[in-house]
Amino acid sequence: MKLYHAPASPFVRKVMVLLHEAGALDRVAIIPASGNPLDPGTIPVDRNPLGKIPALERPDGPTLYDSRVITRYLDDLLQTGLYPTAPRLWDTLVIEATGDGIAESAVVMRYEMHVRPEASRSVAWAEAQWQKIDRALTALEERWLSQLSGPLDMGQVAVGAALGYLDFRHADRNWQALHPALAAWWAGFSARPSLASTAP
Ligand code: BEZ
């Protein structure tokens, strides 16, 4: 299998952490790919028409894309146990969607302020993205800390990938100041070898 990969992408990081946790890094060849909304660059648009990474090329079926599709596929293939059975599954999926939503807004902010031509940038648009992130961080802290501290699952991995991206691209926002309990969880979780070795 081939994984189209960029080290800064929080969505690629989710897949890499899963492979790491499953002891299956040797099952994929890493293919560097980079691009942005204005230019797909080396992202294989013939395999993912949306021009996004990660994309996972398989020998026996169509290329998979969208990190959640890839992680569900790899979980099924490798029997990782990172998606528990229902009813806990629904909590895991909501937490994963929350992490992915934080990452999505954080990447959109990055594109808005660094890729969109300067004359058409909107600070209000970027701030609205940050409001989504801040609400989601509050929800994680108020509702989901106990599940985040439970057995490893893809919800935790997605939140970790998102928080790592905030630290990488939006460190000036100092999200930890307003969310100290989530920051304490992240300080411990980010030390796992699968997270430490995939930091952007
Ligand atoms: C970044 O450089 O911030 C980035 C790269 C790939 C995907 C998303 C973000």
Side-chain angles (χ1 to χ4, degrees):
M1 292 185 287
K2 290 181 186 169
L3 179 67
Y4 293 91
H5 176 283
S9 164
F11 302 103
V12 168
R13 190 177 187 189
K14 287 173 62 191
V15 177
M16 294 301 292
V17 170
L18 178 152
L19 289 168
H20 213 287
E21 293 287 347
L25 285 168
D26 59 347
R27 298 285 295 271
V28 299
I30 302 296
I31 312 293
S34 62
N36 62 54
L38 291 180
D39 175 7
T42 57
I43 294 172
V45 290
D46 53 333
R47 298 201 170 67
N48 179 359
L50 301 175
K52 291 180 173 182
I53 48 170
L56 184 72
E57 200 178 311
R58 299 178 292 161
D60 55 351
T63 295
L64 300 179
Y65 49 85
D66 185 289
S67 68
R68 278 183 258 181
V69 175
I70 295 172
T71 55
R72 289 303 289 255
Y73 169 78
L74 290 173
D75 174 59
D76 183 59
L77 183 74
L78 304 168
Q79 295 295 299
T80 68
L82 291 174
Y83 288 99
T85 51
R88 189 165 171 261
L89 175 64
W90 311 124
D91 294 337
T92 296
L93 292 177
V94 169
I95 295 170
E96 183 177 19
T98 306
D100 286 356
I102 291 170
E104 180 73 35
S105 285
V107 170
V108 164
M109 283 176 74
R110 172 82 187 164
Y111 288 152
E112 181 69 24
M113 301 317 280
H114 293 270
V115 175
R116 193 188 283 272
E118 200 165 349
S120 46
R121 284 177 198 162
S122 166
V123 172
W125 177 272
E127 285 309 309
Q129 297 300 323
W130 187 259
Q131 291 313 309
K132 288 175 193 264
I133 293 170
D134 192 51
R135 284 196 303 267
L137 295 174
T138 299
L140 288 171
E141 195 162 59
E142 290 182 352
R143 285 184 223 152
W144 299 116
L145 262 190
S146 94
Q147 176 140 346
L148 286 175
S149 305
L152 183 67
D153 68 14
M154 272 316 290
Q156 296 169 15
V157 172
V159 171
L163 297 181
Y165 188 78
L166 294 185
D167 291 346
F168 179 54
R169 290 296 192 203
H170 301 288
D172 56 319
R173 296 278 176 165
N174 192 17
W175 65 267
Q176 295 90 340
L178 289 178
H179 307 283
L182 188 62
W185 171 81
W186 174 230
F189 191 69
S190 59
R192 284 183 85 93
S194 61
L195 274 297
S197 66
T198 55

